[in-house]
Amino acid sequence: MYARFGSDEKIERPLALLRRAAAMGAHLKWAAAAAVVAVIVATVARLAGPLIVRWGVDSGVIAQEREVITRAALTYLVFLVVQYTANSTALRAVNTVGERYLRRLRVKVYEHLVGLDLDFFGKSKAGVLVSRLTSDVEALTTFSNEGAINVITSTLTVVGVGVGLFLVDTTMALVVLAVMPLLIAASIVFRIFADRAYRRVREQIGLVLGSLQEGISGVRVVQAYNQERSQLHRFHRVNDRYYRANLDAAKAISIYFPTVDFLRTASVGLVLFVGGARVLDGAMSFGSLVAFILYLAWFFEPIIQLSNVYNLLQGALAALSKIFGILDTSPLVQESPDAVAFHRDVEGRIRFEDVTFGYDPGIPIIEHLDLEIQPGERLAVVGETGAGKSTIAKLGARFYDPQAGRITIDGIDLRDLRTDELRRAVAMVPQEGFLFTGTVRENIAYARPEMTDDEIWSVAGVLGIETWLRSLPERLDTEVRERGMRLSSGERQLVSLARAMAADPAVIVLDEATSNLDPETEATVEEALGHLLEGRTAIVIAHRLQTAQRADRILVVSDGRIAEQGRFDDLIASGGVFARLQAVWETAENRTH
Amino acid sequence: MFGLFKNYRRDGLLSIVSALVWMVVVVAVPYVEKLVIDRAITGERRDLLGPLVGLLLGVGLVKALGVGGRRWFAFRLSYRAETDLRNRIFEHIQRLAFTFHDRTATGELMARASSDLSQVRLVFAMLPITIANVTMFALIGAVLIILDPVLGSVTVLTIPAMGVIALLYARRVLAASFEVQQRLADMSSVVEEGVSGIRVVKAFGREDLEVAKVDKVAERIYHKTMELVRERATFVPLFEVIPSAATVAVLWLGGIRVADGAMSLGDFVAFTQYLVILVFPLRLTGWFFAELPRAAAAASRVVDLIAKAPAISEPRSPKPLPDGGGEVRFDGVGFSYPDGPRVLDGFDLTIPAGKSVAVVGSTGSGKSTLSYLVPRFYDPDEGRVLLDGVDVRELSLDRLRGEVAVVFEDTFLFSSTIGENISFGDPDASKEQIRLAARLAQAHEFICGLEDGYDTVVGERGLSLSGGQRQRVALARAILRDPRVLILDDATSSVDAATEADIRAALETVMKGRTTLIIAHRTSTLKLADSVVVIEGGKVLAVGSHSELLTTVPRYEAILAEAVEDADEVVPGAATP
């Protein structure tokens, strides 16, 4: 329950983090100020309570003035109404500010995230990126829900009660304060132990879940090898360490809270002992004693609360620094401020002019590449893994900018084009396409959600997949992914091709699928692919012979340079790199058939 | 649910006893304070002040010990029970047969052993204090009425009022937080999808669409959270104000009664103290009862899982396995998966000891099923499967599975060292045995090339090996046990030509003189086997060598083409970048 979100790393420059976080919420500053005012009013109203009781007891009960008692009671009642209203308003206001802030933060972080380079996604684990928008933002939510208001209330209460104690009776206030160092020391010691224990709990729960997961997904192997018992032993060990870590944390709690509890009783005893003597001496009124006892109840709670808040704050800071980590990553490829649109319809002439590029600028992958692709030409790029074929494709779609040279489409440098214009003209399509949760219709119309059904059907007609689409249980309304049916790999490719067709780009950069399909589906996909590429400039990263064969021109890439290029037959005839590659492919493909 | 915890009576009893002690003392403290005020201060007996405050400190000490004991024993009990239950769940999951695992998602089982258990645990950790709290309400009620019947009766009414409000609040908040959790899960899946599909998003420049999806979910989270906030803003201040309102009543009614001399000043102070004491226990109790139904549901899910009987179990009196070379016989075997079509129907086949057979058939022809029936991952509906003349159902599972090793289509490696993965079936295997097995499986060379050799950690939390490497490690794992029967669910699907050649060489060595059943997905593997069995419609269609079948069975080629349709193939030099 405690230290749930504590961070395991040390947080650098917490104040700078907070300042930056606050700056992002500048639009909420008036709402935040109003919330703080409400919190202050509520706390003051609450703190006034014991003073009213003192007045009632001293001037009413002891003086036997019944009217004063009534007046005190009624005054208290009024204060209670104020207290309730202010408290309720404050809670709502503080949380509203927090939630509005987080609502915007989520969108802002995600917006930034999807704007980052593909390279970034390649390097980061998907799970980690997801956690920035889930568990990290939720750590902030917890702080805003439970922490923020507590910081204000608890601080105000401690200060207010402190002041109240001194107002009522200075000597007594000093007596109570004498207990404070003990309480604070106990809290610090507890914090240290609890933090350590909870860190171990977090580590161990990770291991338990890991073993559990492995035990479940590997259950078939376990049974095949009769290792149920040894697996169980392993699990027992991990599970037991988690148990022990929990017990350590429980021990810290089981010692700290009784200690605080005893300190509280002791301070009441102290107040009664010293205060009782003072009342007997006539140095203090009886009402003051009652007020003191009432105040004491409120003095301890906030201090315990503050130590909890400290934890939440640690968690929130850790989350903030991770979230800022995303926001501080800037995409290498950015739209230039004076980017232009195409002047006329896109023809699709692509030119690489003396292009040099490397993911690490010191290690060029592509060097001094010159290449021109005519409108409507189908270019197959082949080569060994790591030769740079997909790098050429990515440069052509401007997922990266070259370090030297330039790449143009219809004569315009890609860097001078507006991003939306560029994406509309050039689509980089993985043939084994990712489908999004939703209907087949939504997936096909991904690039243009405003497409009508007629338009979608006509796209399907052109690709020759109408019959297949009609055979789906709910046709275009068929849900795919989790909620819907499982499409086969070939069927996913068909949807993916239709999606590209619907986007209708002048230039297609296609990453050919590597998986084998059954002959019938294969034929359908091949046919659809042919229709898709018709009349478009196409750069195809080819993984099979057939595809290379069908291209207008083959570009053989080796070590970032063009080793050969030309028509299929010519390359075979010349007996160069491609001819050798072709021989390997042929044997590989024959073996399976 | 409570039955789950009967093994922990001692800690349970200790925590309940300490909770009750704590509770009695909690109720006693304001009374002692009252004594100090009435006897010493207003009674002007200065000599009593010291001893009475001493009494208060003593009582305070007992109270602290009570709190400590209550927490400690309750925590220990609940964590112990949670840990034991998790062990039991794990053990049971390991024993449940394939039929169960085929139908159950990993995430679901994970939830049983994690979130469901913690929900159950929490309720049990809170049970002692709830028992004490409920008793406390009664006791404080009684004390208040005894202290002053008139004022007592009035203030006691606040207890049920607060109780009802606390329960109502807890219920509403739990319901609302559940909804918020759902929306947060939506957020997670939307972001996950956007991140996994980022190539498509960027290909079509539809970042805006993805952001709009997140915006929509963020908006829903905001609305649901604000509903939760409204509940809290309505109720939480009430918990503060109600006891204060009762204090007003005490001040008013009580003050007048004190002024009249009908009540002592000490009683008056005690009253206000009791009211403060009540607040937190009331909220906690409300929370407990609101949480109870959900915890009960979680507990019943856990119990259901543990109570499930494994479909495959040890025979009562297992027969000994006679010496033999590992002859496998399918005798009139009929099989269908639960709710599935009939896969095998009157299937007869004998694999002579030491011989190898490759099985071909189209997807769904039941060829993989054959491999599962021998080590009893499933039992046939009809007929028998015999190993060296004994029905496999009459052998002890230990003995049977020790003699039949399966290399699965998807090679699962555990997060431990390669050495441990190879010796998985026999954790006591010596280093030499492990190396020998690896050599036979043509894995030794690449393992030695790894930085830590056999100590390299692989699996989910370690180095990821290539498909071909994983396969050879799995093969080494299978042959380490020197089984009579080797079953290969051939999955050379994810390897390139060079690796495939390596694996084939490995297979040739390990198959020598060992009964082997190969489920073939590729034509090239067929050549390894002594004979090829073609199955169709759950029966044997033909048996013979690959070349014989090509000439004698006209449908053979068509079946082969169909059989390989699922197998992925990778062309050398053209792997995805």
Side-chain angles (χ1 to χ4, degrees), chain A residues 15-161:
Chain A
L15 276 182
L17 276 180
L18 285 179
R19 214 170 298 135
R20 184 168 169 196
M24 280 167 59
H27 61 296
L28 294 167
K29 64 172 180 264
W30 294 116
V36 171
V37 170
V39 176
I40 294 174
V41 171
T43 314
V44 170
R46 177 150 50 115
L47 290 176
L51 289 176
I52 303 170
V53 173
R54 177 178 79 151
W55 169 46
V57 170
D58 284 348
S59 325
V61 180
I62 295 180
Q64 304 202 333
E65 292 282 346
R66 285 172 188 70
E67 264 134 70
V68 178
I69 297 176
T70 309
R71 227 177 302 145
L74 287 177
T75 314
Y76 201 169
L77 214 54
V78 171
F79 268 81
L80 279 184
V81 173
V82 173
Q83 188 188 333
Y84 177 82
T85 317
N87 235 325
S88 180
T89 314
L91 256 176
R92 200 171 301 197
V94 170
N95 282 296
T96 308
V97 170
E99 289 305 321
R100 278 174 61 194
Y101 181 86
L102 292 171
R103 189 206 171 300
R104 200 159 124 154
L105 183 72
R106 282 191 167 98
V107 177
K108 196 170 163 175
V109 173
Y110 191 68
E111 206 166 16
H112 190 84
L113 181 69
V114 292
L116 292 176
D117 302 317
L118 277 186
D119 204 29
F120 174 81
F121 289 92
K123 281 191 228 146
S124 325
K125 285 194 174 149
V128 172
L129 296 182
V130 173
S131 71
R132 293 292 163 273
L133 275 131
T134 51
S135 53
D136 287 337
V137 175
E138 281 152 38
L140 295 180
T141 314
T142 314
F143 177 72
S144 106
N145 280 347
E146 296 166 25
I149 200 163
N150 251 332
V151 173
I152 309 171
T153 325
S154 299
T155 316
L156 271 180
T157 310
V158 170
V159 173
V161 169

Side-chain angles (χ1 to χ4, degrees), chain B residues 83-97:
Chain B
T83 307
D84 291 349
L85 269 175
R86 192 177 288 116
N87 281 338
R88 266 175 76 185
I89 291 178
F90 187 84
E91 183 180 359
H92 201 74
I93 288 174
Q94 298 289 306
R95 285 175 50 219
L96 285 168

Side-chain angles (χ1 to χ4, degrees), chain B residues 295-442:
Chain B
S300 82
R301 284 193 294 270
V302 169
V303 170
D304 279 353
L305 175 62
I306 297 179
K308 211 158 252 144
I312 306 277
S313 56
E314 198 76 34
R316 257 197 214 120
S317 44
K319 280 195 183 163
L321 180 66
D323 287 341
E327 184 205 63
V328 173
R329 194 148 72 87
F330 295 91
D331 178 18
V333 169
F335 181 82
S336 45
Y337 289 99
D339 314 318
R342 200 153 179 77
V343 198
L344 295 175
D345 193 10
F347 184 86
D348 289 307
L349 176 71
T350 305
I351 309 171
K355 294 290 177 196
S356 56
V357 162
V359 182
V360 222
S362 56
T363 313
S365 64
K367 57 182 195 272
S368 288
T369 310
L370 285 180
S371 68
Y372 298 146
L373 293 177
V374 186
R376 274 195 86 196
F377 295 145
Y378 302 91
D379 279 338
D381 303 331
E382 297 141 25
R384 303 181 299 163
V385 179
L386 304 138
L387 174 64
D388 283 324
V390 186
D391 190 325
V392 290
R393 282 170 296 197
E394 291 173 342
L395 293 166
S396 82
L397 281 175
D398 222 23
R399 193 81 184 90
L400 172 67
R401 290 180 183 169
E403 291 295 354
V404 181
V406 186
V407 179
F408 289 95
E409 189 174 352
D410 61 75
T411 45
F412 185 89
L413 297 185
F414 293 87
S415 303
S416 58
T417 66
I418 294 195
E420 281 165 351
N421 265 292
I422 294 177
S423 64
F424 184 74
D426 178 10
D428 302 323
S430 69
K431 262 194 180 142
E432 285 67 41
Q433 284 174 293
I434 295 174
R435 267 153 212 266
L436 181 67
R439 277 217 179 83
L440 284 172
Q442 309 277 323

Side-chain angles (χ1 to χ4, degrees), chain B residues 180-222:
Chain B
V180 171
Q181 287 304 325
Q182 299 282 304
R183 300 287 90 77
L184 290 175
D186 289 349
M187 176 59 91
S188 177
S189 46
V190 168
V191 172
E192 206 269 327
E193 193 171 290
V195 169
S196 337
I198 190 75
R199 283 183 69 187
V200 177
V201 175
K202 289 198 173 275
F204 297 107
R206 290 318 309 266
E207 288 91 338
D208 55 338
L209 185 72
E210 295 306 306
V211 172
K213 285 183 194 167
V214 162
D215 189 70
K216 209 163 102 191
V217 180
E219 180 69 20
R220 272 196 237 128
I221 293 177
Y222 175 73

Side-chain angles (χ1 to χ4, degrees), chain A residues 49 64 120 136 164 171 178 200 272 285 289 356 388 486 520 523 530:
Chain A
Q64 304 202 333
F120 174 81
D136 287 337
T171 322
R200 274 191 45 220
L272 282 175
S285 73
L289 188 64
T356 298
R486 232 171 231 279
E520 203 180 321

Side-chain angles (χ1 to χ4, degrees), chain B residues 104-147:
Chain B
T104 317
T106 309
E108 201 181 310
L109 293 177
M110 293 285 288
R112 285 306 88 76
S114 53
S115 54
D116 278 354
L117 275 189
S118 8
Q119 209 155 31
V120 175
R121 185 193 76 77
L122 220 53
V123 162
F124 275 85
M126 288 189 48
L127 190 61
I129 193 176
T130 305
I131 292 175
N133 279 340
V134 172
T135 324
M136 181 202 285
F137 303 144
L139 202 60
I140 289 185
V143 169
L144 289 182
I145 291 175
I146 292 168
L147 279 180

Side-chain angles (χ1 to χ4, degrees), chain A residues 401-431:
Chain A
D401 283 334
Q403 271 112 28
R406 59 182 214 136
I407 301 162
T408 62
I409 175 166
D410 289 1
I412 307 173
D413 193 320
L414 296 186
R415 286 170 292 201
D416 296 336
L417 268 174
R418 277 190 1 223
T419 312
D420 56 340
E421 284 279 304
L422 175 66
R423 295 279 171 258
R424 205 171 305 139
V426 182
M428 178 152 176
V429 190
Q431 188 180 335

